[in-house]
């Protein structure tokens, strides 16, 4: 029985790190290879030992597909390819291929810098891993091998994010990765055609949420920044080098321009240049507005945002600084935070999620006295704001996508169990399809019925048409014919044509049966009685009494004979072709009941 | 103010030396460390004090945390928190008495008791509690303590967790198993497992839908079996029977039953348990176990199809590797031989490889196993060779029509089998006890043929060969595997007549426009392997006849690849070129081929490549050419100052490149040049180092700054290692210490050098500060014997140093150091507690955040605000 098997090694009822194994028509594909930022040991990576049990990784896995550049989707890739030993192809979009190594390198530096970790992938490993990547274009069908093909669709969320359709023969799975169904300031909305996959694997981060308009959050953000600088305070925005940072930069740049503000905005580290370079390079991946305005002005060439120098942090007066890393766990953002934390006029805005243990997590949970190295205590007087700009589809968006793709089944990943459960029921109710939500390590096995294309002969079709029934597109119709399998092609033809094509002679197949009747009369009289009985019973059928004394009903032949041992018993010999099997059975049953009493 | 007072001020200034000073928000606690030398209580000492892991602060926070965990209305913040909490409890219980811990912190037992009320607990907390209970109960006295209240039975018994709705959640089942695994450490635990019916539940969990749970269940069974057999005196050949402990009997009985089952999953489970058992347990009882079970295992081979082939292979290898079986004849080899002949080629491959890796194994079996690995390649050779005159891989005994069928059944089956075989042979090749004789020539022929089949250049002589050609044409997977193996085969003695064929096929791949970037990379790697292993002509420093010809053809291809539109290809070509130059830079044939090519010019152009990886590789390649004098080609009449130009270009990259990789590559090259005494550097070393460090100090990439410090370290080492400063003189206490020559002292204490090091000491990136600290320690130690006798006088230099340090400490750029006296510099150096600082820097910068207090505080702090932020991620 053909089947699709899905096993999440990560993102099964959690949002930690995505890594989903899909087995479809004998092909094994890994969807995303993410890292959990909340762990400092090997637990940050998916447990690949469950795949290595199956022999060599490169033999087992046909390919790895990365949906987008966020580390919870690609962070374990160099580990997987250079340390665990996967040597096969890795697919991602062009922007993801360009940006992924920047973030991996950024994280590597933090891990080594902050924790002095020796057992971490190196720069060389990141490069070697990226060399294994095959970049794909949107809507381009890529043949991984003769049987397996993949196709990317636009997912919004972040630059280069894609949903992937994985197809083997007529079976297919769509994996959404993270996506956003509403356009934001720099990206468009996710889109997929009505591809009717056997299975749609969708993220469900906001499974129960109907998100307010992002515009409101943006307005709120600008208001807070503006108010702080107006009263002479400094604003620190810890960000990761790419993604949210660019979105917020556009936001502030436009606002500064509109309000004619002079307060300096800085972006720390040299990463902006490269990040903006990629946004310029992949302008076709941004939304329509940015592409339109590109002709007059490139949105990513910022007039108000300047490179940051360490000494600027001590400058008097207001300023806004974007600094990395985003969770205030090391480097420049933490250093600036320490300088500014003591002044209540200042503000730190956390635009994203922070893992436990980081200073970002502590201040977001309301801690105001932070113990630092050497048992010093840092008192946080500055204002702390949390603004979520994460771009995921909300419940409405997820339903919209399911409606668009029209899958046979849905499987939820990248969400919390409770919320998934709610969405699961909603999907099952609304779309009447099964919906699954496996936990990490749990395998969902879905039987599939692969459709095999069969050609039909014109003759057979014409014969059907001749019967006066016009075919209807959506209504299944029964059609008799002979299936000829030749040279790995399938054709349905009339049996005559099949015989002719294959050079075979027709065989007649007849069923026979003996029925014993108590009748002392002569054979001819018994036959006549049978004729009369059948004539009166089977009014719609053609019942004949032939000159040789036998009786026929359609193709059924009945002959009466004397019993060799018992003269009081007559034997009826009934035979019929397989076409009249039903009628033959009926007649035999009828005759077995005996003949009606004849008038003596 | 005298010198001492000034230094005292400087000391006070440096109290907050590390971490960088805070603004008014920092409140120094009484325990804050000091940088003063001579102070006995330092942070590093404090850290080394033997402490109880469960400190009072954590004890104080625990009740509140337990209350939060027990409260179903309070969802747990982060899925990592409970994991980390458990890590910490494990650490605590490894060092301290669990019983004492529970008695001192009754809230823990309360939490465990609370979770017995299923309606009140979230699955995550329940799972955590099961694991926690197991951790505590690992110590027998604590186990008894928990048993008194029937707590363990409540948690792990049939009447407990198993009956609850939460049991359907895999995390809970996983927690249950892990809890039991932890507690199964002592005889009391064994009784508990037997009495509570837990073992039966573990049996059923082997077939759990969750991979994690199923795997953990198998592991637990092995653990229980090993524990129950621990210390059991088993007669060498005594049957298992009733002499074994009940628990062990039960498990073995279950395994036997599973092996007899007709359901493949059950057979797989049994085989997995046995594989782990023989892998982990090496006591005599395992031999008895194998004697008892091997007939059942052998029976599996009689079924058609053989169930769980993969697991069967694992088991046989696990048994074969066990030291218990190394000498005994237990019918194992017979079973292995039978399995090899019964399994399909794909399934038998791993068993064949594993068998060949064994040290002790009958020769006949080795021959059989090697035959299995060679068979697919032999088929390829047979199918493609017109007149099989060569000895062939299997000496004409190729009986595997099945292999040919398997090979040709479908494209993916063919690719799969060939890739697997090539990888297995590649693994076998370097082993000292690989099969002998090793058919190097035939293997080479086979792999070259495969590569030709893949790129369509083979001319098969039979219809089977033609089909194979059609199947493999353009198959990147097989190309990659074959090129890897071809590269490995370069490490062996190959017949000279085959070498041209190898180079020809490699050249085909390097030239082919169809070669993908990954294939090209592997082709470059294989080419490098073959070139470097090529034998030299005896008595002559140059190469044999093939190489010059090949190089003549290689360079045009290399040039083409250096201009590839794919950065991956340009980079692989540069890496190849660098490695080749490194090894062959001195060879006349190579130099000749290189000089007549455009490769050096193209490499130089790649210094301005749009891709930073390529720029970095180009830097390394150009540096290599320059070190070997190969860069001189550019010093033609058109480029008279090519070398100087290169230095300038590198400096330009270092100061202007927007990305870290090329800048890092430049500093690495400079450091190497300094070590090697490169002509450009030797001209004016001080000026060179000063210029580089000045640029490096401004770099935003901390790794560049660290490498700058490495350069400084090399410079200092070279200066201090000059004649007259033999390091061994230090070891002679009687010998009078020679004074450092003033000019050397002045060189060492160059303001630009020390300014760079002192600034780096304040760097916000820990590795930079760490490296700077080590550098200054080195300098201090090296100069201490010489310069320590003279007190620093009242000097204006000290003022400026004090001011400069203050500014740097505050994270400002500030003014440069000026030109202070070397003695003043050394005085500052000696006054610092660099050892203490080194100790603190050795800790990861998040050690405070990682502390248990921090974890407990975070978990408690998250409670009320969770709803607000919980849904967010990236």
């Amino acid at each position: 029985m053909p089947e699709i098997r899905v096993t999440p090694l990560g993102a099964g009822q959690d949002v930690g790190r995505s890594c989903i194994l899909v087995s479809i028509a004998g092909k094994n594909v890994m969807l995303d290879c993410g890292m959990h930022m909340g762990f400092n040991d090997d637990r940050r990576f998916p447990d690949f030992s469950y795949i290595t049990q199956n022999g060599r990784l490169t033999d087992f896995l046909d390919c790895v597909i990365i949906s987008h550049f966020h580390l919870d989707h690609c962070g374990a890739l160099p580990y997987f390819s250079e340390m665990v030993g996967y040597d096969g192809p890795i697919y991602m979009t062009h922007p993801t291929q360009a940006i992924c190594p920047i973030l991996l390198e950024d994280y590597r530096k933090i891990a080594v810098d902050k924790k002095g970790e020796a057992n971490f992938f190196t720069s060389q490993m990141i490069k070697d891993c990226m060399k294994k990547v095959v970049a794909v274009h949107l809507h381009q069908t890529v043949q991984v091998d003769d049987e397996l093909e993949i196709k990317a669709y636009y997912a919004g969320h972040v630059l280069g994010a894609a949903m992937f359709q994985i197809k083997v023969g007529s079976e297919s799975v769509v994996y959404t990765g993270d996506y956003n169904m509403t356009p934001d300031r720099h990206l468009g909305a996710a889109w997929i055609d009505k591809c009717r996959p056997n299975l749609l694997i969708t993220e469900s981060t906001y499974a129960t949420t109907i998100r307010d308009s992002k515009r409101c959050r943006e307005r709120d953000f600008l208001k807070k920044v503006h108010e702080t600088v107006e009263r002479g305070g400094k604003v620190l925005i810890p960000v990761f080098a790419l993604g949210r940072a660019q979105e917020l930069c556009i936001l502030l740049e436009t606002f500064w321009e509109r309000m004619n503000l002079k307060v300096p905005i800085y972006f720390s580290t040299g990463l902006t240049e490269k990040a903006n370079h990629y946004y310029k390079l992949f302008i076709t991946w941004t939304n329509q507005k940015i592409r339109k305005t590109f002709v007059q002005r490139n949105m990513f060439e910022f007039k108000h945002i300047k490179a940051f120098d360490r000494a600027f942090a001590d400058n008097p007066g207001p300023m806004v600084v974007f600094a990395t890393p985003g969770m205030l766990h090391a480097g420049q953002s933490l250093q600036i935070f320490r300088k500014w934390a003591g002044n209540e006029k200042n503000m730190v805005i956390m635009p994203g999620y922070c893992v436990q243990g980081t200073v970002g997590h502590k201040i977001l949970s309301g801690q105001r006295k932070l113990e630092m190295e050497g048992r010093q205590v840092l008192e946080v007087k500055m204002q702390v704001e949390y603004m979520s700009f994460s771009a995921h589809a909300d419940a409405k968006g997820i339903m919209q996508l399911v409606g668009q793709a029209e899958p046979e089944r849905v499987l939820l990943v990248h969400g919390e169990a409770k919320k998934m459960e709610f969405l699961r029921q909603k999907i099952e109710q609304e779309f009447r399809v099964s919906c699954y939500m496996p936990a990490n390590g749990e395998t969902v096995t879905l039987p599939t019925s692969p459709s095999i294309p069969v050609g039909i002969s014109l003759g057979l079709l014409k014969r059907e048409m001749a019967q006066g029934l016009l075919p209807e597109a959506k209504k299944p119709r029964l059609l008799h014919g002979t299936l000829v399998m030749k040279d790995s092609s399938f054709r349905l033809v009339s049996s005559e044509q099949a015989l002719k094509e294959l050079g075979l002679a027709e065989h007649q197949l007849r069923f026979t049966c003996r029925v014993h009747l108590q009748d002392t009369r002569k054979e001819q009289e018994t036959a006549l009685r049978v004729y009369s009985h059948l004539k009166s019973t089977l009014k719609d059928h053609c019942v004949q009494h032939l000159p040789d004394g036998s009786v026929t009903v359609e193709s059924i032949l009945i002959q009466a004979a004397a019993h060799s041992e018992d003269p009081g018993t007559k034997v009826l010999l009934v035979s019929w072709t397989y076409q009249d099997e039903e009628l033959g059975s009926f007649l035999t049953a009828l005759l077995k009941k005996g003949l009606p009493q004849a008038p003596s | 103010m005298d010198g001492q007072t000034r230094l005292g001020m400087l000391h006070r200034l440096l109290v907050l030396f590390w971490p960088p000073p805070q603004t008014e928000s920092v409140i120094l606690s009484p325990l804050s460390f000091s940088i003063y030398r001579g102070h006995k209580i330092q942070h590093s000492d404090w850290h080394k004090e033997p402490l109880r892991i469960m400190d009072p602060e954590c004890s104080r926070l625990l009740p509140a945390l337990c209350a939060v965990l027990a409260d179903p209305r309070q969802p747990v913040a982060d899925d990592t928190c409970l994991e980390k909490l458990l890590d910490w409890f494990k650490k605590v219980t490894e060092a301290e008495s669990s019983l004492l811990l529970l008695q001192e912190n009754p809230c823990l037992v309360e939490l465990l008791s609370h979770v017995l009320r299923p309606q009140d607990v979230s699955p995550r907390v329940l799972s955590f509690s099961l694991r926690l209970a197991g951790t505590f109960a690992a110590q027998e006295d604590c186990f008894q303590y928990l048993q008194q209240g029937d707590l363990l039975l409540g948690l792990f018994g049939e009447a407990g967790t198993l009956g609850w709705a939460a049991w359907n959640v895999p995390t809970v089942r996983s927690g249950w198993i892990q809890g039991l695994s932890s507690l199964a450490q002592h005889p009391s635990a064994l009784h508990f497992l037997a009495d509570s019916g837990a073992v039966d539940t573990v049996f059923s969990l082997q077939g759990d839908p969750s991979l994690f749970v199923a795997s953990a269940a198998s592991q637990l069974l092995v653990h229980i079996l090993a524990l129950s057999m621990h210390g059991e005196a088993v007669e060498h050949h005594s049957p298992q029977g009733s002499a074994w402990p009940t628990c062990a009997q039960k498990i073995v009985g279950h395994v036997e039953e599973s092996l007899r089952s007709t359901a493949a999953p059950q057979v797989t489970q049994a085989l997995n348990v046995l594989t782990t058992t023989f892998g982990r347990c090496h006591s005599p009882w395992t031999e008895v176990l194998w004697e008892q079970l091997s007939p059942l295992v052998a029976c599996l081979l009689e079924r058609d199809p053989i169930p769980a082939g993969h697991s069967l292979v694992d088991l046989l290898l696990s048994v074969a590797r066990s030291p218990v079986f190394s000498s005994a004849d237990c019918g194992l080899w017979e079973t292995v031989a039978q399995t090899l002949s019964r399994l399909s080629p794909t399934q038998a491959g791993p068993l064949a490889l594993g068998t060949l890796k064994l040290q002790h194994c009958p020769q006949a079996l080795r021959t059989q196993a090697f035959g299995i690995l060679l068979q697919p390649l032999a088929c390829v050779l047979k199918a493609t060779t017109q007149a099989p005159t060569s000895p062939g891989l299997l000496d004409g005994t190729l009986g595997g029509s099945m292999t040919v069928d398997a090979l040709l059944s479908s494209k993916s089956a063919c690719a799969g089998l060939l890739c697997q075989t090539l990888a297995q042979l590649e693994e076998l090749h370097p082993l000292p006890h690989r099969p002998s004789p090793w058919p190097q020539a035939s293997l080479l022929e086979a792999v070259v043929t495969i590569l030709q089949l893949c790129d369509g250049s083979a001319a098969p002589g039979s219809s089977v060969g033609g089909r194979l050609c059609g199947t493999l044409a353009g198959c990147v997977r097989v190309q990659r595997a074959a090129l890897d193996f071809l590269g490995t085969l370069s490490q062996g003695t190959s017949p000279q007549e085959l070498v041209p064929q190898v180079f020809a096929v490699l050249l085909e791949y390097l030239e082919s426009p169809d070669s993908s970037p990954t294939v090209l990379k592997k082709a470059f790697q294989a080419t490098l392997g073959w070139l470097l292993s090529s034998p030299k002509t005896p008595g002559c420093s140059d190469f044999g006849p093939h190489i010059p010809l090949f190089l003549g053809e290689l360079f045009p291809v290399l040039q083409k690849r250096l201009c590839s539109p794919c950065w991956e290809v340009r980079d692989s070509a540069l890496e190849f070129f660098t490695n080749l130059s490194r090894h062959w830079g001195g060879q006349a044939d190579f130099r000749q081929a290189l000089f007549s090519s455009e490769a050096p010019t193209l490499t130089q152009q790649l210094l301005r490549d749009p891709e930073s990886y390529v720029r970095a590789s180009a830097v390394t390649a150009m540096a290599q050419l320059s070190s070997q004098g190969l860069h001189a080609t550019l010093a033609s009449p058109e480029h008279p100052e090519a070398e100087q130009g290169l230095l300038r270009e590198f400096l330009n990259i270092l100061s202007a490149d927007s990305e870290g990789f090329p800048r890092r590559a430049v500093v690495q090259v400079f450091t190497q040049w300094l070590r090697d005494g490169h002509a450009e550097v030797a001209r004016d070393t001080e000026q060179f180092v000063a210029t580089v460090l000045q640029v490096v100090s401004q770099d935003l990439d901390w790794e560049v700054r660290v490498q700058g410090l490495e350069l400084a370290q090399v410079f200092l080492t070279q200066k201090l290692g000059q004649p007259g400063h033999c390091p061994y003189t230090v070891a002679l206490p009687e010998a009078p210490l020679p004074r450092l020559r003033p000019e050397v002292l002045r060189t060492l204490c160059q303001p630009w050098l020390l300014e760079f090091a002192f600034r780096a000491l304040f760097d916000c990136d820990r590795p930079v500060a760490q490296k700077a600290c080590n550098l200054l320690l080195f300098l201090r130690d090296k100069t201490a014997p010489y310069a320590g006798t003279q007190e620093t006088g009242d000097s204006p230099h000290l003022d400026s140093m004090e001011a400069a340090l203050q500014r740097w400490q505050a994270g400002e750029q500030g003014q440069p150091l000026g030109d202070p006296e070397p003695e003043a510099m050394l005085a500052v150096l000696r006054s610092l507690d660099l050892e203490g600082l080194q100790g603190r820097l050795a800790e990861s910068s998040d050690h405070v955040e990682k502390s248990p207090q921090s974890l407990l505080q975070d978990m408690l702090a998250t409670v009320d605000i969770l709803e607000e932020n919980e849904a967010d991620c990236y």
Side-chain angles (χ1 to χ4, degrees), chain A residues 40-101:
Chain A
N40 297 318
D41 51 25
D42 272 358
R43 282 175 291 184
R44 74 177 123 216
F45 301 126
D47 191 343
F48 296 119
S49 64
Y50 293 94
I51 327 176
T52 48
Q53 280 169 3
N54 298 311
R56 280 182 73 240
L57 266 179
T58 315
D59 293 335
F60 174 74
L61 269 187
D62 290 279
C63 70
V64 173
I65 295 172
I66 301 295
S67 64
H68 64 286
F69 63 66
H70 278 154
L71 291 177
D72 59 332
H73 292 259
C74 72
L77 201 55
Y79 172 75
F80 186 60
S81 73
E82 307 308 308
M83 296 168 93
V84 182
Y86 172 70
D87 196 25
I90 300 162
Y91 292 91
M92 54 180 79
T93 64
H94 285 277
T96 308
Q97 187 201 23
I99 296 164
C100 205

Side-chain angles (χ1 to χ4, degrees), chain B residues 274-605:
Chain B
L274 291 177
T275 304
T276 317
T277 306
F278 292 112
R280 278 194 204 158
C281 312
H282 301 143
S283 304
W285 62 265
T286 53
E287 198 181 339
V288 179
L289 184 67
W290 177 246
E291 276 171 26
Q292 184 179 336
L293 296 180
S294 56
L296 287 174
V297 173
C299 280
L300 296 176
L301 294 173
E302 286 158 21
R303 297 195 204 170
D304 191 20
I306 298 171
H310 186 79
S311 302
L312 182 62
V313 167
D314 286 347
L315 169 64
L316 292 175
L317 289 175
S318 173
V319 176
R321 284 177 197 135
S322 166
V324 179
F325 299 90
S326 58
S327 57
D329 176 20
C330 47
L332 173 68
W333 304 132
E334 208 178 301
T335 314
V336 173
Q338 216 184 335
T339 314
L340 281 173
S341 59
R342 289 277 288 108
L343 288 176
S344 71
T346 318
Q347 282 186 315
L351 180 60
L353 176 66
T355 308
L356 289 167
K357 281 183 175 175
L358 295 170
Q359 297 282 356
H360 311 285
C361 165
Q363 186 54 44
L365 187 62
R366 285 175 67 82
T367 310
Q368 185 191 359
F370 196 38
I372 294 211
L373 291 190
L374 294 179
Q375 224 172 26
L377 300 195
C379 287
V380 170
L381 279 182
K382 196 183 167 203
T384 49
T385 312
Q386 289 181 347
T389 46
S390 61
L393 272 169
L394 290 171
D395 300 326
T397 55
L398 181 63
S401 63
M402 194 171 79
T403 316
V404 184
D405 290 344
L407 205 57
L408 294 173
S409 63
S410 79
K411 193 162 181 167
S412 58
C414 177
L417 182 60
L418 281 181
C419 286
Q420 179 185 297
T421 306
L422 290 165
Q424 283 161 341
L425 288 167
E426 190 187 335
E427 212 177 317
L428 205 56
H429 184 267
L431 299 183
H433 57 282
R434 70 181 186 193
S436 178
W438 180 256
Q440 175 84 3
S442 302
L443 287 173
L444 208 50
E445 212 178 324
V447 76
V448 167
T449 307
I450 290 173
L451 283 168
Q452 286 170 338
L453 287 168
C454 286
D455 77 351
S457 64
S462 66
S463 62
V464 184
R467 275 170 67 198
L468 205 54
C469 200
T471 309
L472 290 180
C475 185
V476 177
R477 231 178 118 193
V478 177
Q479 287 176 356
R480 284 198 309 252
L483 284 167
D484 274 343
F485 185 44
L486 185 62
T488 310
L489 282 176
S490 69
Q491 309 302 309
T493 316
S494 305
Q496 279 304 294
E497 64 274 16
L498 284 179
V499 176
Q501 281 185 44
V502 171
F503 282 131
V505 81
L506 285 170
L507 209 58
E508 271 171 37
Y509 272 81
L510 292 174
E511 269 176 345
S512 168
D514 298 331
S515 294
S516 73
T518 43
V519 166
L520 273 174
K521 185 185 171 184
K522 287 184 189 292
F524 272 126
Q525 284 169 340
T527 308
L528 187 70
W530 277 93
L531 284 175
L532 299 186
S533 66
S534 284
K536 310 270 188 308
T537 312
C540 174
S541 64
D542 260 331
F543 309 109
H546 312 305
I547 306 294
L549 276 176
F550 178 68
L551 286 177
E553 291 176 290
L554 176 70
F555 269 98
V557 178
L558 182 66
Q559 279 170 212
K560 184 179 144 195
R561 294 306 181 189
L562 286 172
C563 303
S564 166
C566 280
W567 72 264
E568 296 93 332
V569 176
R570 297 196 300 275
D571 194 71
S572 298
L574 280 172
E575 284 178 338
F576 168 76
F577 188 34
T578 308
N579 280 318
L580 201 58
S581 308
R582 181 174 300 133
H583 289 95
W584 276 6
Q587 302 286 342
D589 286 332
F590 175 76
R591 295 173 79 91
Q592 197 185 341
L594 182 132
F595 287 153
S596 56
S597 81
E598 294 284 305
T601 317
L602 290 170
T603 305
Q604 187 156 25
Q605 284 167 8

Side-chain angles (χ1 to χ4, degrees), chain B residues 659-717:
Chain B
E659 287 186 59
F661 307 114
R663 302 200 305 266
R664 268 184 257 161
V666 167
V667 193
Q668 266 167 348
V669 163
F670 283 162
T671 310
Q672 197 53 46
W673 279 7
L674 184 63
R675 279 201 185 98
D676 299 346
H678 190 280
E680 273 309 296
V681 177
R683 197 170 296 146
D684 187 350
T685 311
E686 267 177 52
Q687 181 56 40
F688 167 77
V689 177
T691 312
V692 175
L693 293 190
Q694 196 194 355
V695 181
V696 164
S697 63
Q698 304 298 319
D699 205 292
L700 289 167
D701 183 338
W702 64 259
E703 279 176 309
V704 175
R705 300 199 295 277
V706 166
Q707 280 166 4
L709 285 159
E710 177 64 26
L711 180 87
Q713 177 98 40
V714 172
F715 174 71
L716 284 180
T717 312

Side-chain angles (χ1 to χ4, degrees), chain A residues 294-357:
Chain A
F294 184 69
V295 187
Q296 305 130 24
R297 186 178 75 85
N298 187 329
M299 286 278 236
F300 297 100
E301 270 165 13
F302 302 118
K303 198 170 102 190
H304 297 274
I305 301 167
K306 303 276 187 294
F308 181 71
D309 184 291
R310 268 182 288 179
F312 294 171
D314 296 310
N315 286 356
M319 68 176 87
V320 180
V321 175
F322 288 95
T324 58
M327 299 186 193
L328 286 178
H329 52 307
Q332 208 144 56
S333 63
L334 183 58
Q335 200 185 32
I336 299 170
F337 173 76
R338 286 171 153 192
K339 279 178 187 286
W340 295 357
N343 191 336
E344 60 275 8
K345 276 205 295 190
N346 298 339
M347 178 182 279
V348 58
I349 300 181
M350 306 296 298
Y353 168 76
C354 295
V355 297
Q356 185 277 322

Side-chain angles (χ1 to χ4, degrees), chain A residues 19 32 38 65 78 110 120 139 152 203 228 269 276 305 457 475 508:
Chain A
C19 182
D32 282 335
I65 295 172
I110 290 168
F120 206 75
H139 306 155
E203 67 131 325
T228 308
T269 81
N276 294 340
I305 301 167
S457 80
K475 213 168 175 185
Q508 281 288 340

Side-chain angles (χ1 to χ4, degrees), chain A residues 374-375, chain B residues 15 29-49 833 835-837 840:
Chain A
R375 296 216 154 181
Chain B
V15 161
S29 75
L31 265 176
S32 72
F33 61 83
S34 159
I35 193 84
Y36 286 98
R37 277 178 71 79
H39 270 227
K40 294 300 173 202
I41 302 169
Q42 291 171 358
H43 179 72
S44 52
D45 296 330
W46 164 77
H47 193 73
K48 283 172 197 159
E49 276 173 30
D833 176 23
E835 282 88 355
L837 186 59
R840 286 188 293 281

Side-chain angles (χ1 to χ4, degrees), chain A residues 266-277:
Chain A
Y266 298 114
F267 199 112
S268 81
T269 81
L271 284 163
T272 3
E273 202 178 314
K274 181 151 187 177
N276 294 340
H277 165 73

Side-chain angles (χ1 to χ4, degrees), chain A residues 240-279:
Chain A
F240 285 101
L242 250 147
R244 195 102 0 112
Q246 279 63 41
E247 193 183 337
L248 297 181
C249 279
I250 296 178
L251 207 58
L252 281 187
E253 173 81 13
T254 323
F255 187 72
W256 250 236
E257 187 72 26
R258 185 155 50 89
M259 304 292 285
N260 198 20
L261 296 175
K262 299 288 177 239
V263 174
I265 308 175
Y266 298 114
F267 199 112
S268 81
T269 81
L271 284 163
T272 3
E273 202 178 314
K274 181 151 187 177
N276 294 340
H277 165 73
Y278 282 126
Y279 272 82

